[in-house]
Amino acid sequence: MRFSIGLLASCGALATAFVQNTSPLSTQKASVDRTKFASGPFVADERTPSHVSSALSMAFDLKDGQVSNMFDGPLPLLKERDACGVGFIANTQSGGEFGTHKVLQQGLSALDCMEHRGACGGDGESGDGAGIMTQIPWKLFEEYRSDSCQQPGVGMIFLPRDEERRDAVKTMIEEVCTANELDFIGWREVPVDPSVLGPMARDVVPSMWQFFVKAPRRLEDDDDERDGFERTLYLVRRRFDVERRNRGLVWDDDDSDVYVASFSSRTIVYKGMVQSCVLPKFYLDLENPDYTTKFVIYHRRFSTNTSPRWPLAQPMRVVGHNGEINTLLGNVNWIKAREAQKDETHSSDEVDDLVDYDSTENIITSCNTQDIPSKLEPLIDLGRSDSANLDAVFELMCQSRHRAPCALMALVPTAYENE
C-alpha cells in the first residue's frame, strides 16, 4: 500500500477525535479524463531510463557499474501512480451539539480541491466517485426525532428505480428491523437533481432513500448503551442482504443496486458516481442550511481495480481509503482462514438475538458471524473493491472494541524501509 497510515487513521477515527480549527478552501477542477488512458501501452519519457532499479540486489555479483541487479518494472508503472483524494475538516467549538453548516460548506470546498485526484468517465461528466461522511444532521431530520428517541438510527440506502422492486425491498427492510426490535419510524426520499449527472451515471443512478428506526427498548439511552445500539444496527444491516436473497430480490441488470451506504445513529454518508463539484448539486440536502455537522470526511475516487459504480464511491461506512491493497488476496485468505476459528462456545442460534447488549458484544467480539451465511452476509467479498473489504474488516474490529488506530495498524502494517 502506498498511502499515509496517519491520514487513514485520522479519517477512520474522526468520529471521536476532531481537530479544532478549520479555514475556507478555494476550489479547483482538474479531473483526470479516463479516455486518455483507454488504450495503448505506457510510454516512458525518452529522457529517463525505461526501468528503475532498487537498492536491493539478487544473490550474485554485480556487473561493473551496476548499482543493483533487481528489475522492479517499467518506470511508468512505478512512478506514474494515481490515487484517490481523501481528507477531513472539523470544528468542535462552534454550533453546539449539532455543529454548523459552515463546516459542511468547507468540507465540500475541500472535496472540490481534490478533483485532480479523481477521474471522470468517457462521457467527460460522470465521475469515478465522490462523497462525504458527516455527523447526522439532526436539525434537518427534526420530524423523525421525538422525546422518546432523540437520536434514532438513520439508514442511507440506494434502491432500484423500478417502483415494484423498490417497494419489495422496503417491505423487507421494515420487517427485518421490526423482527429485531427496531421500531420503524418512516421513510424519507432524498431530494436529488438527476439532471446534473453525466450520461453514464444517470443511466444507472439508484433511487435514494433514508429510513429511521428507534433504539430497542431493552437498551438505555446513554453513551454505553449507544454502543450496543450501534452494534445492533451493524448486525441488522448485515442481515438485510441475507433476507433479500432469501426472498429472491436479486436482479442482474442496470437497476439492481440495493446498497446501504450507512446505518448509524452517529454518522451518515452521501456519495455517488459524480465529480466533486456535482455532489452538492445532486444531493440537495447538502445545500440546505439546516444540514449542520461538526466534521466532514471527504473522498474523491480514482478507480483502478474495479469499474466505477454508485456503491463503490467513498467514503465507505467507516473509512475513506486512499490507495491500493497490493496484498489483497493474501488478506482475504487470512480472513477466510479465521472464519473457521470462531468461538465454539457460541452456537448459530445465538446470532438470532441481535439486540441484547451482552449478546451483540459476544457475537462481534468472538467474530463468530463470518461462517454463518444463513444469518448474516459474508464479511468480505471479492465482488467489492479492495477499499470496501478493508472497510468491512475495520468496521468489525471497531465494533469489537478495538481502538481505531490499533485496528488500522493491525490491518495496514508500517511499510518496510522505503517501500
Side-chain angles (χ1 to χ4, degrees), residues 62-330:
L62 298 177
K63 296 179 180 178
D64 290 342
Q66 266 191 323
V67 177
S68 170
N69 52 24
M70 293 282 287
F71 178 73
D72 292 338
L75 177 66
L77 295 181
L78 295 175
K79 297 299 183 182
E80 300 300 324
R81 292 182 179 273
D82 293 287
C84 309
V86 62
F88 69 87
I89 192 166
N91 187 334
T92 62
Q93 304 303 307
S94 301
E97 180 184 2
F98 299 151
T100 65
H101 185 63
K102 181 180 180 181
V103 171
L104 175 65
Q105 291 176 313
Q106 291 174 332
L108 292 170
S109 181
L111 173 63
D112 214 8
C113 291
M114 289 287 104
E115 186 59 29
H116 65 288
R117 301 300 298 272
C120 61
D123 58 12
E125 299 179 51
S126 302
D128 276 15
I132 61 170
M133 177 194 296
T134 73
Q135 178 182 1
I136 293 177
W138 294 117
K139 188 175 180 181
L140 182 66
F141 299 152
E142 186 64 35
E143 65 180 288
Y144 298 96
R145 304 171 70 213
S146 64
D147 292 338
S148 62
C149 188
Q150 287 289 306
Q151 295 183 346
V154 182
M156 180 75 167
I157 187 169
F158 299 172
L159 293 173
R161 297 182 297 277
D162 179 81
E163 185 175 2
E164 184 176 350
R165 292 182 179 182
R166 185 169 65 244
D167 288 346
V169 175
K170 289 167 73 174
T171 298
M172 177 273 296
I173 288 174
E174 292 178 25
E175 291 177 356
V176 171
C177 287
T178 302
N180 289 281
E181 301 179 32
L182 298 174
D183 291 344
F184 207 84
I185 299 174
W187 290 93
R188 177 179 184 263
E189 185 171 8
V190 181
V192 297
D193 181 6
S195 68
V196 301
L197 300 176
M200 296 174 66
R202 188 165 53 247
D203 287 346
V204 293
V205 60
S207 181
M208 307 298 181
W209 290 79
Q210 291 159 344
F211 59 99
F212 302 80
V213 296
K214 291 183 178 180
R217 293 183 177 86
R218 277 195 268 171
L219 299 178
E220 300 295 332
D221 189 13
D222 57 40
D223 289 341
D224 195 35
E225 296 289 299
R226 178 68 50 182
D227 290 340
F229 185 26
E230 287 293 308
R231 287 197 298 271
T232 294
L233 296 176
Y234 165 73
L235 292 169
V236 168
R237 190 200 76 220
R238 290 182 57 192
R239 177 68 187 160
F240 288 153
D241 194 65
V242 174
E243 188 62 27
R244 179 170 69 92
R245 294 180 184 279
N246 289 343
R247 300 188 185 197
L249 303 177
V250 181
W251 306 276
D252 186 19
D253 53 31
D254 63 4
D255 189 25
S256 60
D257 278 338
V258 177
Y259 172 78
V260 181
S262 60
F263 191 26
S264 171
S265 64
R266 291 170 172 157
T267 61
I268 191 168
V269 173
Y270 283 74
K271 65 179 185 177
M273 206 171 118
V274 298
Q275 298 185 46
S276 302
C277 61
V278 174
L279 189 72
K281 297 178 181 178
F282 175 68
Y283 287 113
L284 303 183
D285 282 346
L286 302 183
E287 296 183 332
N288 190 324
D290 285 341
Y291 196 124
T292 60
T293 182
K294 291 183 178 181
F295 75 93
V296 178
I297 297 176
Y298 52 87
H299 189 282
R300 180 66 170 94
R301 188 174 188 233
F302 188 102
S303 178
T304 50
N305 297 331
T306 53
S307 297
R309 289 173 46 208
W310 281 85
L312 295 184
Q314 295 195 48
M316 294 297 177
R317 294 160 181 143
V318 184
V319 301
H321 173 225
N322 170 22
E324 297 179 23
I325 303 178
N326 299 326
T327 60
L328 178 64
L329 291 178

Side-chain angles (χ1 to χ4, degrees), residues 331-333 335-336 339 378-382 384 389 392-393:
N331 295 353
V332 168
N333 285 324
I335 290 294
K336 287 187 173 297
E339 288 177 356
L379 185 67
I380 54 174
D381 182 352
L382 286 178
R384 308 171 190 157
N389 282 312
V393 179

Side-chain angles (χ1 to χ4, degrees), residues 41-67:
F42 286 103
V43 179
D45 192 316
E46 294 179 355
R47 295 169 295 178
T48 61
S50 60
H51 68 276
V52 177
S53 294
S54 71
L56 302 175
S57 297
M58 288 186 264
F60 51 84
D61 294 338
L62 298 177
K63 296 179 180 178
D64 290 342
Q66 266 191 323
V67 177

